Amino acid sequence: MKCQNYMILYPNCKINIGLYVTERRVDGYHNIETVFFPVGLTDVLQIEEADAKNNFRFSILGNKIEGEAENNLIIKALRLLQKDFHIPPLDIKLTKKIPTGAGLGGGSTDGAFMLKGLNELLNLNISDEKLEIYAAKLGADCPFFVSNRAVFAEGTGNIFTPVNISLQGYCIVIVKPDIHVSTAEAYAGITPKKSEFQLREAICEPIEKWKNLIFNDFEKSVFEKFPKIAKIKQQLYDLGALYASMSGSGSAVFGIFDKQVNFSNNIFKKCFLTNIKI
């Protein structure tokens, strides 16, 4: 929602449907293959022009985020645009609902939506292609949230091809245990290799077949270290999920269901839990 000098945005998370680490690059990063799919679990980002001597005020409500403001991708996005444009003083408020350290892109979406929000609020006239270039400087997942539609991603996760996939009418259940999985440690447990199945072809198969066709390379080492995450995935299948997987490097696990799911037995104790109808 945009008003004069004021904007409210709803940065949404993503899930990875399949994730293959195919090779280690000479720059130290990894090439991957994955399908990014946007999901309607959102933060709330408010941006308002302010009368202030400082160039911004930044406050966070909801889930706690550790670290200094300058390390937050929202402020890093602001700093990027300040190099090329005049940005007036701003009052920035983030209500954090997407769990952090989950593999859901919660920080990446905030940074990308900050770029998009400033572009619209201040009439900067930056093209989507240029916004993706800015977003790539924030992090590997960030460019996806510029177009924010289902894509097959390769390279470091920054080369996109649209995919014809619809989960309309399905329910996505996301479970995030109180476990932090270090992305660096997750990559350390990976031996890069080409995937056995072609993800771009497998994603076009009926969802009921995905269980035997589409995998997340991080699961093996992460499940060995954190058996609770593996148990959550199995519990989702036990509840009737058509497909279940860890998202990104974890620790969130999602299940895709063709019906609403009853969690009255509180099976996922001490976990973040959300049930989203697509």
Side-chain angles (χ1 to χ4, degrees):
M1 179 179 70
K2 179 183 177 183
C3 301
Q4 186 175 5
N5 303 323
Y6 181 78
M7 176 172 283
I8 300 178
L9 303 108
Y10 298 91
N12 60 276
C13 73
K14 58 81 180 171
I15 55 174
N16 294 83
I17 304 176
L19 203 170
Y20 301 98
V21 183
T22 58
E23 62 181 341
R24 182 176 175 85
R25 298 157 52 104
V26 294
D27 59 9
Y29 290 93
H30 291 80
N31 284 333
I32 66 170
E33 293 180 0
T34 190
V35 170
F36 288 128
F37 189 86
V39 177
L41 168 63
T42 72
D43 292 336
V44 182
L45 177 61
Q46 301 177 59
I47 311 170
E48 183 176 9
E49 290 189 47
D51 296 323
K53 293 181 180 179
N54 297 327
N55 59 21
F56 72 89
R57 292 191 299 261
F58 183 45
S59 56
I60 301 175
L61 305 173
N63 298 340
K64 186 177 180 181
I65 301 178
E66 302 292 341
E68 299 295 325
E70 289 290 341
N71 294 325
N72 190 287
L73 290 185
I74 289 174
I75 304 308
K76 287 187 175 184
L78 172 63
R79 296 302 191 203
L80 274 179
L81 293 186
Q82 283 178 329
K83 293 178 181 179
D84 297 332
F85 301 92
H86 170 70
I87 307 295
L90 298 170
D91 191 2
I92 307 162
K93 294 184 177 70
L94 173 68
T95 302
K96 192 65 186 168
K97 297 181 179 181
I98 302 171
T100 58
L104 299 172
S108 298
T109 189
D110 292 339
F113 270 76
M114 183 66 173
L115 292 173
K116 294 195 294 184
L118 290 177
N119 186 40
E120 183 176 352
L121 180 67
L122 303 177
N123 298 311
L124 301 180
N125 297 315
I126 307 171
S127 68
D128 283 352
E129 291 76 14
K130 182 65 174 177
L131 283 174
E132 287 185 359
I133 293 172
Y134 280 118
K137 296 178 181 180
L138 298 177
D141 287 351
C142 294
F144 159 72
F145 292 103
V146 174
S147 61
N148 209 18
R149 61 178 183 270
V151 293
F152 172 78
E154 51 193 328
T156 60
N158 65 329
I159 302 172
F160 304 134
T161 305
V163 293
N164 185 21
I165 171 177
S166 173
L167 296 179
Q168 190 71 33
Y170 290 89
C171 293
I172 295 180
V173 173
I174 298 174
V175 184
K176 197 274 183 185
D178 188 18
I179 295 172
H180 175 75
V181 178
S182 164
T183 301
E185 288 182 6
Y187 270 105
I190 290 288
T191 301
K193 64 183 185 302
K194 296 294 183 181
S195 59
E196 181 178 351
F197 299 101
Q198 292 296 319
L199 180 57
R200 271 189 279 200
E201 296 175 7
I203 201 71
C204 297
E205 295 289 336
I207 294 176
E208 292 81 2
K209 293 186 178 182
W210 288 2
K211 182 178 181 179
N212 299 314
L213 294 176
I214 299 175
F215 306 96
N216 181 334
D217 279 348
F218 288 112
E219 287 188 349
K220 185 177 185 297
S221 61
V222 171
F223 286 179
E224 288 175 355
K225 188 171 183 178
F226 302 105
K228 182 176 180 179
I229 302 176
K231 182 179 179 181
I232 289 171
K233 178 179 176 179
Q234 184 57 52
Q235 287 172 320
L236 289 170
Y237 275 125
D238 292 343
L239 287 166
L242 302 176
Y243 177 75
S245 173
M246 191 171 71
S247 186
S249 58
S251 61
V253 181
F254 67 90
I256 302 175
F257 294 80
D258 60 1
K259 59 184 177 181
Q260 291 284 350
V261 188
N262 184 0
F263 296 102
S264 59
N265 59 359
N266 199 20
I267 190 172
F268 300 115
K269 294 180 179 178
K270 298 182 180 180
C271 293
F272 170 88
L273 174 67
T274 188
N275 190 345
I276 302 165
K277 183 73 176 290
I278 303 297

